[in-house]
Amino acid sequence: MHSRTIPGTVLRDRKSGTAPEVGAIELFFDLVYVFAVIQLSHFLTAHLSGTGVLQAAILFLAVWWGWNYTAWAMNWLNPDNVLVRVLLAVLMLASLGMSVALPAAFKDEALLFAGSYLLLQLLRSAFMVWACRGRQLGANYARLLAYSALAGVCWLLGAFLPEHQLWLWALAVVIDYAAPMVSFAIPGFGSAPMRTWPLHREHLAERNRLVFIIALGESILIMGFTLTELELTAPVVTATLIGFFGLVLLWWNYFAVPAGGEREADPEGEQQTAIARSAFAYAHAVMIAGAIVVAVSIEQITMHPTGHLDAAVIGCVTGGPVLYLLGNLLYSYARTGVLAWSRVVVIGLLVALAVLAGSTHFLSPLALAGLATLCMLGLAVFSTRAEPRPERG
């Protein structure tokens, strides 16, 4: 059963106490992020250097923050309202502009990327200030708007000053991500602590589950497109099977987190927003970044299953699962307050595997991918066995 929404109102009816429904317009909005994730993986594939990885990280963090803040806003906005639907359509167009600009965001399309991102962030926050006027939430969004505008100065300066673009955009990302950590504090105007952002966490949980599946789906698309360009030799087929099995394990290990032991049982308790910030805004960013790196590794291994292992391949094959597990570790800890040591152990194994692959020359790309997948398989088996089983009557 879901919370009731009234088409004529901008805000959801939250009196029922049940999880806000994910509206059709929210699912439609997510479609543009299928394209964004594919663009990001292609950018990373084409820029596997130290600077390129940093650039890809900045672009990903901006894309994620645009989606994340929209998902949070829809926790309060009524998806059946006409104005809200128009807003999401405009935000979707801005997200499309960002996605189109991604391949040349650090070249000719810097202004398109920065301008689209600013439109997305500033318009949404300004709408929330208007929609929640006279409420604490409206004042909170006014502070968020101020931080987005401050970061926006850096985004625009970077677009117009290419020689300083990298560090200016890195600073903009720091401002955007640090703002919630400092409670959007503005000297002389107070702050917006997490307890003043009442939400229902299950809505965000569902939204993040869906976008994680989108990230995995992008890997399937890349795998399919890569196979159409190659002869289906035994090594290529083996690499495909390992890659597909690896994606299944990412999915498995995501949904194998036990549902019990939550830090806050009340779905709208005071801790819920702080938990959601860690579990969804930050932890899911790391997990989805890991899924993107895994997609890049699948393409690399499928295209070149045998031969020499270089640092870029080793970094992607082992770094993707490590990033995912770090995010999963934070996700689990935010929800339960308990450190999942099984994730820590597997991270250690993957790091050791990367060191071994880099210091010796007897592993092929295919063998490295197979060993990394075995590490994830071990975690899946352990997590499944550790899940609480229903009592028999």
Side-chain angles (χ1 to χ4, degrees):
M1 185 173 180
H2 299 287
S3 60
R4 183 170 56 93
T5 55
I6 306 171
T9 60
V10 175
L11 299 178
R12 294 181 188 263
D13 174 20
R14 302 179 63 84
K15 295 179 181 179
S16 64
T18 54
E21 183 180 11
V22 175
I25 187 65
E26 295 177 79
L27 301 178
F28 184 54
F29 173 81
D30 286 351
L31 290 178
V32 74
Y33 283 86
V34 178
F35 179 46
V37 171
I38 290 175
Q39 290 282 75
L40 284 166
S41 64
H42 287 170
F43 182 95
L44 181 58
T45 301
H47 300 83
L48 284 174
S49 64
T51 300
V53 169
L54 179 57
Q55 290 176 338
I58 289 171
L59 296 178
F60 165 74
L61 290 171
V63 168
W64 171 254
W65 218 230
W67 181 89
N68 172 64
Y69 270 171
T70 303
W72 276 68
M74 289 308 299
N75 201 265
W76 297 288
L77 293 177
N78 178 3
D80 296 329
N81 179 266
V82 173
L83 288 178
V84 173
R85 290 179 171 180
V86 171
L87 171 70
L88 279 187
V90 175
L91 298 182
M92 189 175 181
L93 182 61
S95 300
L96 181 61
M98 288 176 62
S99 303
V100 168
L102 280 170
F106 282 90
K107 294 178 181 177
D108 299 335
E109 303 296 345
L111 186 57
L112 175 60
F113 181 85
S116 298
Y117 178 72
L118 280 183
L119 175 62
L120 178 68
Q121 299 293 71
L122 298 180
L123 177 61
R124 183 200 321 99
S125 293
F127 185 91
M128 291 300 294
V129 171
W130 170 80
C132 302
R133 58 195 181 279
R135 302 167 181 248
Q136 177 64 50
L137 197 59
N140 290 354
Y141 264 100
R143 294 183 176 88
L144 191 158
L145 179 61
Y147 270 89
S148 294
L150 177 61
V153 173
C154 296
W155 286 110
L156 288 178
L157 283 176
F160 285 109
L161 300 172
E163 66 275 15
H164 302 295
Q165 182 181 2
L166 185 62
W167 74 264
L168 281 169
W169 280 14
L171 177 59
V173 165
V174 170
I175 294 171
D176 276 332
Y177 276 72
M181 296 181 182
V182 298
S183 300
F184 303 98
I186 299 176
F189 292 92
S191 62
M194 286 294 101
R195 66 178 182 276
T196 64
W197 299 79
L199 55 74
H200 202 302
R201 184 157 56 93
E202 182 53 35
H203 175 264
L204 280 178
E206 185 173 356
R207 298 286 285 115
N208 280 265
R209 284 193 290 266
L210 292 172
V211 82
F212 180 74
I213 290 175
I214 284 175
L216 295 183
E218 174 262 351
S219 297
I220 298 291
L221 289 175
I222 287 179
M223 185 185 302
F225 288 136
T226 302
L227 285 176
T228 60
E229 300 173 359
L230 298 174
E231 181 184 355
L232 297 182
T233 62
V236 168
V237 172
T238 303
T240 301
L241 292 174
I242 290 174
F244 179 78
F245 192 41
L247 292 178
V248 172
L249 290 173
L250 285 187
W251 177 88
W252 193 285
N253 285 313
Y254 178 89
F255 289 99
V257 177
E262 298 285 349
R263 288 169 53 196
E264 174 64 86
D266 180 0
E268 296 196 65
E270 288 190 1
Q271 294 188 73
Q272 288 295 353
T273 307
I275 294 171
R277 181 184 66 182
S278 297
F280 303 123
Y282 297 125
H284 272 72
V286 183
M287 280 194 285
I288 290 173
I292 291 174
V293 177
V294 167
V296 173
S297 73
I298 289 174
E299 183 175 13
Q300 290 176 317
I301 299 301
T302 306
M303 293 285 290
H304 308 286
T306 59
H308 176 67
L309 262 180
D310 58 24
V313 175
I314 295 172
C316 288
V317 171
T318 59
V322 166
L323 273 176
Y324 165 79
L325 289 174
L326 285 172
N328 194 262
L329 193 66
L330 176 58
Y331 173 54
S332 176
Y333 182 78
R335 292 176 54 195
T336 66
V338 177
L339 188 64
W341 284 103
S342 58
R343 270 71 176 162
V344 177
V345 170
V346 177
I347 289 171
L349 290 175
L350 288 166
V351 171
L353 182 59
V355 172
L356 175 66
S359 59
T360 62
H361 302 284
F362 63 86
L363 285 178
S364 68
L366 195 58
L368 178 63
L371 290 172
T373 302
L374 280 177
C375 290
M376 297 299 287
L377 174 61
L379 177 60
V381 171
F382 175 83
S383 298
T384 302
R385 290 173 62 89
E387 277 187 356
R389 301 181 185 277
E391 296 183 3
R392 294 182 179 180

